[in-house]
Amino acid sequence: MNRLLIVLLLLASLQLKAQNYPSEWMRYTTDAYFHDIEHGSNSQNLSEAKFKNDLLDLARTNLSKQIQVRVAEVSQMDKNVVDGRSSILYTSMRNVSTDVDMQLAETRTHFDPASEKWYAIVYINKEAACNYYKNDIQMRISKINNALRIADNYISTGFKTKAKTELQNVQPQFDGAGKSFFWINVFGMSQYQLQPLLDEMNRLEQIVKAKLAELEHGTTYCVVCNADIFGKKYVKLQNEVKGELSASGCNFVDDPTVADYIIQIDASAREYNRMNTAGGSAYFSYVDAAVAIDKNATGQRIFEDEISVKGSHTFGFEEAARDGYKKVSKEISNLLKENIKL
């Protein structure tokens, strides 16, 4: 094999010399590069700059065609499966433009006075191209990790909506990385270099997806309500308040230890007075309620207020208190809507 390689290199060297290419171009014709060489005589007496640019454009076009062939080969590969999940490496990219990669192309020109011919070469160093896209992937990994740190900080301080937005905003980084992985495969990065990058990106993708799934329902609330009517529990207040807030998009949990915010309501009824009227009697009762909102992550009380509402009825103080609770539930709901993070 060594002898065969030496013979091939010698033949290539003789061919280069015979065609009057610069000897240093020989390395660009190896498998380490995509390349195309064109040559021609300026028979139309174009300006030197014009003729060289035309020759280079022809070489660029032919080099682009070579890359398109390789793109088609990679695009036909089956999607790689890692632990049952589709890898982003072989995302369908049949319509990928080679324009992105032509920016990595380098050019050389040479004039041979003996034959009066111009020679032009356009080439892409495969290893350099792989490093270019590797750096792009590493930059995206850094951005994703940074977004995860910010999202975790938001979650720990109770700002789940902001955390969700942060993670949603970083999603395009996975698409961008998918394109870079594709081009790395086109340019032939070795598996031992590629696999750690791919594993890390897949790991981050799963973490982001899992966190977004957890945040799907946004900020959560737990309503702890203690309400009574003259010593009897009045459970309807809690249900009415939760119903009002649910219509505004609030999500509730029963366990206060896992809620982002704890809504504390303490309410009680008290008799006020009785009035005799021509048609009978009117009874009046007050409902006094203390309302507070605590941020679970920090233990901070972010809102606190007290309200009193008068209810009335003709049947008695208890019914008057029930009327008061109907009114107070709406006032409490309005107060909470103004002060919680929907």
Side-chain angles (χ1 to χ4, degrees):
M1 289 299 293
N2 289 336
R3 288 182 179 179
L4 178 59
L5 180 60
I6 292 171
V7 171
L8 290 174
L9 290 174
L10 287 172
L11 289 174
S13 178
L14 289 172
Q15 185 180 17
L16 287 172
K17 290 178 180 177
Q19 295 180 342
N20 298 316
Y21 298 157
S23 59
E24 63 266 21
W25 286 14
M26 182 177 174
R27 67 175 181 271
Y28 304 134
T29 65
T30 66
D31 192 51
Y33 297 82
F34 283 121
H35 76 281
D36 186 76
I37 300 175
E38 301 296 333
H39 68 276
S41 299
N42 189 3
S43 58
Q44 296 180 348
N45 294 320
L46 300 173
S47 69
E48 180 179 306
K50 170 66 174 170
F51 187 77
K52 285 196 297 184
N53 286 336
D54 288 349
L55 209 56
L56 285 170
D57 284 344
L58 178 60
R60 289 189 186 96
T61 298
N62 289 332
L63 179 59
S64 177
K65 290 178 181 178
Q66 290 182 40
I67 297 175
Q68 285 173 347
V69 170
R70 177 60 180 155
V71 165
E73 292 173 353
V74 174
S75 296
Q76 295 300 323
M77 295 180 182
D78 292 333
K79 287 184 178 179
N80 189 27
V81 177
V82 181
D83 296 332
R85 299 187 301 271
S86 292
S87 164
I88 58 177
L89 176 57
Y90 295 131
T91 301
S92 180
M93 300 274 292
R94 288 175 177 80
N95 296 321
V96 169
S97 168
T98 58
D99 292 342
V100 175
D101 295 274
M102 292 310 296
Q103 71 178 335
L104 303 175
E106 297 184 62
T107 63
R108 299 282 188 277
T109 57
H110 171 73
F111 180 70
D112 177 37
S115 63
E116 295 187 344
K117 286 185 178 181
W118 278 98
Y119 296 86
I121 183 172
V122 179
Y123 61 90
I124 296 177
N125 184 319
K126 294 179 182 178
E127 183 179 359
C130 286
N131 287 334
Y132 173 85
Y133 288 107
K134 176 183 176 182
N135 290 337
D136 178 75
I137 293 168
Q138 289 175 329
M139 177 271 293
R140 294 178 187 278
I141 287 174
S142 178
K143 287 185 176 181
I144 295 167
N145 276 318
N146 188 53
L148 283 169
R149 283 192 292 271
I150 293 172
D152 285 341
N153 287 335
Y154 279 142
I155 292 170
S156 67
T157 53
F159 295 100
K160 286 190 176 181
T161 301
K162 289 185 177 181
K164 184 178 179 180
T165 300
E166 186 71 27
L167 295 177
Q168 288 173 333
N169 288 342
V170 85
Q171 289 282 61
Q173 297 301 330
F174 293 105
D175 294 333
K179 293 179 181 179
S180 289
F181 274 118
F182 182 86
W183 286 114
I184 275 180
N185 200 41
V186 168
F187 288 112
M189 176 179 277
S190 62
Q191 189 66 25
Y192 83 90
Q193 290 179 299
L194 171 62
Q195 197 61 48
L197 291 172
L198 184 60
D199 289 344
E200 178 65 5
M201 190 59 73
N202 279 327
R203 184 185 72 83
L204 291 174
E205 188 177 28
Q206 297 308 311
I207 291 174
V208 170
K209 285 181 178 179
K211 285 185 180 293
L212 282 172
E214 291 173 4
L215 295 169
E216 183 62 30
H217 298 296
T219 305
T220 56
Y221 303 87
C222 179
V223 177
V224 179
C225 184
N226 298 305
D228 74 81
I229 294 179
F230 310 130
K232 299 177 183 178
K233 286 188 177 181
Y234 185 76
V235 296
K236 196 173 181 181
L237 176 63
Q238 182 181 40
N239 294 333
E240 289 175 345
V241 170
K242 288 175 70 173
E244 285 282 336
L245 296 178
S246 293
S248 299
C250 285
N251 301 291
F252 295 99
V253 293
D254 294 327
D255 185 354
T257 63
V258 298
D260 296 305
Y261 294 90
I262 301 171
I263 297 171
Q264 181 75 40
I265 302 172
D266 292 300
S268 61
R270 57 185 170 88
E271 296 181 1
Y272 179 57
N273 67 358
R274 172 184 172 182
M275 293 180 59
N276 293 319
T277 65
S281 298
Y283 297 85
F284 299 91
S285 296
Y286 268 95
V287 173
D288 303 313
V291 184
I293 304 174
D294 295 324
K295 192 173 185 178
N296 211 6
T298 61
Q300 177 187 9
R301 176 151 291 185
I302 63 172
F303 173 77
E304 189 172 19
D305 201 358
E306 294 182 0
I307 56 176
S308 292
V309 176
K310 183 169 68 173
S312 62
H313 207 279
T314 58
F315 286 178
F317 289 112
E318 184 171 331
E319 292 302 321
R322 292 181 184 276
D323 179 61
Y325 266 112
K326 288 179 183 179
K327 296 175 182 177
V328 85
S329 68
K330 291 183 180 180
E331 290 205 21
I332 290 174
S333 298
N334 289 334
L335 276 174
L336 294 174
K337 287 176 185 178
E338 292 172 2
N339 290 279
I340 64 177
K341 300 179 182 298
L342 292 173

